[in-house]
Structures are given as C-alpha cells and as structure tokens.
Amino acid sequence: MSAEALAAYLGDAALADIRAALNELAAHYSPRGVQLVERAKRWHFETAPDLAHLLRREREQVRRLSRAATEVLAIIAYHEPVSRAEIESIRGVQTAKGTLDVLLEAGWVRVAGRREVPGRPVIYATSADFLDHFGLESRRDLPGIEELRATGLLDPVDDAFDALMGPDEGSAAGHADDEAALDVAAAGGAEGEAAHAEKDLRKAD
C-alpha cells in the first residue's frame, strides 16, 4: 500500500507524518525476521533476506530430452561450432526452433557467434554446464565410436542389416550364399577333372 493510500484511510493525517511513521516502523523491523520495505512506492512486509531460504520451497523437476533434442545435442557436442543448417544436414531432417530453445534454456548449449559466410548464420557450441553435468573435463573426454559400440549404443552394421532384413530373410540369404559357394567349388572340381582327362588323352596319342 502506498503512503497516499494510507493517508486516504487515516483522514486528516498529513502525508509527511505518514511517511515519517513508515520510516520509523521500517527502522524498528529492520533487525527482525520480517521487515517493512518500500518497493515501487508501495510499502509491504517481507521476510528478511537472511531467512528467505528457510521459507523457499524448491522442487526438483526432471525434464527428459526428446529424441530430436538428444540428437541435436550430440551433433553440437561432436561437431561444434555448428550452425542450424549443418545440424539439419547431418540429421537429414529439419530441426524445430523449439528443440534448440530447450537446449539453450537448459544451459547445455550456447550461441558461439556467427559463421563468416553469406548470411552469417548463428553457430552453436556446448557450454561449461554441459561438461559439468556429464562429468567431462573437456570435449576430448567424449566417448568415441568404439566405446559407444561397446556399450550397445551403436549396433554393428551386420546386426543392423539382419535386424532390417528379418531372421528368415537373413537365413535365406545365408543359405543362398552357401549354395552359391558349393556350386562354385563343384564347377571348379569339374573343370579340374576335365583338364586331367585332356592331359591323359594327349599322352595316349
């Protein structure tokens, strides 16, 4: 409430007297847990700054990144500094503006400047909070391809192909390859026998 509003409630009280009384009350409450303060020409009581943490309720909210955000974060981490167009080129799909906004809001990605090419696109890089959150001293500590494959995050090409083709088709392809190999071996054996027979005929002549 403002001093003018208080004057209206108190009738004949002078505005200067009301301001003096408010200042006196503020001085009286200053060493206490609740203080009288003026903010934007309005007076109100608030908790003392040194006790505010006791009344503050904090709730940890777990936010999971979408698959798109995870892919974008990985691309930035391994290819930084990188522009949005370069991210889309690597992913093969368009990247929504909200995806980058989520990473910027989380503090894991920062704007690293602009690339000196026509259009001067914004380029992105990881932040110190990103390294701290994932327990990395630097980007050199990021896992390599072999480490990712060992943890099962990357499937070998053969496994991925078999998963794509399905077990029946993969087995059929394997049997077909085996049969083709046997045919080649048989043809080679037949050619060898024919060559030996030709040599025998020449000796007989």
Side-chain angles (χ1 to χ4, degrees):
M1 182 176 288
S2 65
E4 291 77 8
L6 283 172
Y9 279 105
L10 296 175
D12 296 334
L15 185 59
D17 294 338
I18 292 176
R19 291 187 182 278
L22 288 171
N23 288 325
E24 186 176 345
L25 282 174
H28 175 74
Y29 279 99
S30 61
R32 300 173 182 268
V34 177
Q35 298 177 349
L36 179 64
V37 297
E38 184 181 16
R39 298 283 187 269
K41 297 184 178 181
R42 293 178 182 273
W43 291 83
H44 68 270
F45 285 99
E46 67 179 26
T47 305
D50 58 333
L51 298 177
H53 67 283
L54 298 175
L55 301 177
R56 185 180 297 117
R57 179 179 296 177
E58 294 184 358
R59 181 179 300 173
E60 204 171 300
Q61 183 178 5
V62 178
R63 297 182 60 184
R64 297 187 179 277
L65 291 180
S66 65
R67 179 173 180 177
T70 303
E71 290 176 357
V72 170
L73 179 61
I75 291 171
I76 294 174
Y78 281 93
H79 297 274
E80 67 176 63
V82 62
S83 66
R84 181 176 172 179
E86 292 165 338
I87 293 172
E88 293 176 347
S89 176
I90 294 172
R91 291 187 66 217
V93 295
Q94 283 190 335
T95 300
K97 184 178 182 298
T99 302
L100 284 168
D101 289 342
V102 168
L103 297 176
L104 289 167
E105 183 181 347
W108 292 348
V109 169
R110 61 184 174 84
V111 175
R114 292 183 177 273
R115 197 177 300 284
E116 296 301 326
V117 296
R120 302 186 70 243
V122 174
I123 52 179
Y124 301 92
T126 53
S127 65
D129 289 342
F130 168 81
L131 298 176
D132 182 62
H133 181 84
F134 290 97
L136 304 173
E137 290 187 8
S138 68
R139 288 178 54 246
R140 289 192 296 271
D141 295 328
L142 287 169
I145 295 296
E146 295 303 325
E147 293 175 271
L148 293 174
R149 183 174 287 119
T151 58
L153 294 176
L154 291 179
D155 293 330
V157 176
D158 293 341
D159 293 346
F161 178 77
D162 291 341
L164 180 65
M165 297 296 293
D168 296 337
E169 295 183 11
S171 300
H175 289 311
D177 291 341
D178 293 341
E179 292 177 0
L182 291 174
D183 291 342
V184 171
E191 291 177 0
E193 292 178 1
H196 286 301
E198 185 177 353
K199 288 181 180 179
D200 292 340
L201 288 174
R202 288 178 181 175
K203 289 179 180 179
D205 293 341

